[in-house]
Structures are given as C-alpha cells and as structure tokens.
Amino acid sequence: VQLQASGGGLVQTGGSLRLSCAASGRSRTFSGYVMGWFRQSPGQEREFVAAISWSDSANTHYADSVQGRFTVARDRAKNTLYLQMNNLEPDDTAVYYCAAVVHFGNWYQVPWENAYWGQGTLVTVSS
C-alpha cells in the first residue's frame, strides 16, 4: 500500500483546510482497512487525529481535541482519504500523516504500529 498525502499549507486561525491522501495498492481495494490521520508537532510525539472504516464511512473515530471541528471521509471510487479541518487553531500546527492498516475490531485496538504511512504534509496555523 502506498499513501500520498497533500493539501497542507498556511492558514489563519479560524480558517479551513482539506487534506487528501491518495491510496494505491496491489489489490486496488481496501476492504477491511481502517485509514486515519495522525499529526506531529516539533518536539512532540505523533498523535492520533481521526480515522474511518474504509468499508463503512459512517464508522469514524476522532481525538477529543478535534471532535466537532475536523471531519474524516473517504471516496472509494478515487481511493482517497480526506480530512476536512475547520476552525483551525495554532495548536493544530503540525505535520499531518495518513495511515492505513487492516483491522476488524474496535477503535481502541487498531494496530497502528503495523500501518502503512504516507509522507506527511505540513499544516501551519498562524495566530
């Protein structure tokens, strides 16, 4: 599985950005995968942001810090994962990474340590 993230940039506080993550793979289908977004700020550990079940787009999971502001979605026809980020804050400044892993259980048992990762895209929110 190869993941290519894009869409980062510079935005003012309160602004919006949409990140994309194009997925490709040998099977051309990602049934059974969960796909997610993580972020990492300078000097900080990578943290979970949001995730979605590729087979069931209504099955999503968010970090408390972004709940209500960010929306994760996917387009199966385009094999693309999205992260719509609204009402951005300076604390959202980070490199954002997309990830994909096979998982059939609950959100608290996703084996992200086994995931495929994209290269990251930088989001900078100015105050």
Side-chain angles (χ1 to χ4, degrees):
V1 175
Q2 293 82 43
L3 303 172
Q4 181 75 35
S6 62
L10 174 64
V11 64
Q12 291 185 334
T13 296
S16 299
L17 277 176
R18 188 178 78 159
L19 305 183
S20 299
C21 176
S24 60
R26 185 177 302 174
S27 67
R28 296 190 179 180
T29 177
F30 298 97
S31 176
Y33 276 80
V34 296
M35 294 198 177
W37 291 96
F38 285 71
R39 65 187 182 187
Q40 187 168 21
S41 305
Q44 303 294 319
E45 293 187 354
R46 190 174 297 189
E47 65 173 357
F48 170 79
V49 175
I52 187 169
S53 165
W54 193 259
S55 301
D56 178 6
S57 63
N59 190 2
T60 58
H61 184 57
Y62 294 91
D64 290 344
S65 59
V66 306
Q67 182 79 46
R69 300 188 297 123
F70 290 10
T71 302
V72 62
R74 61 96 175 98
D75 184 327
R76 292 175 68 172
K78 296 181 178 180
N79 276 354
T80 301
L81 174 72
Y82 299 101
L83 184 68
Q84 177 66 45
M85 306 185 294
N86 297 329
N87 195 20
L88 283 160
E89 305 167 351
D91 284 348
D92 296 317
T93 295
V95 177
Y96 284 71
Y97 299 89
C98 53
V101 65
V102 174
H103 181 63
F104 297 96
N106 66 58
W107 286 115
Y108 300 98
Q109 295 178 323
V110 179
W112 292 114
E113 66 275 12
N114 299 329
Y116 299 94
W117 293 89
Q119 86 288 2
T121 186
L122 176 63
V123 173
T124 303
V125 184
S126 63
S127 57

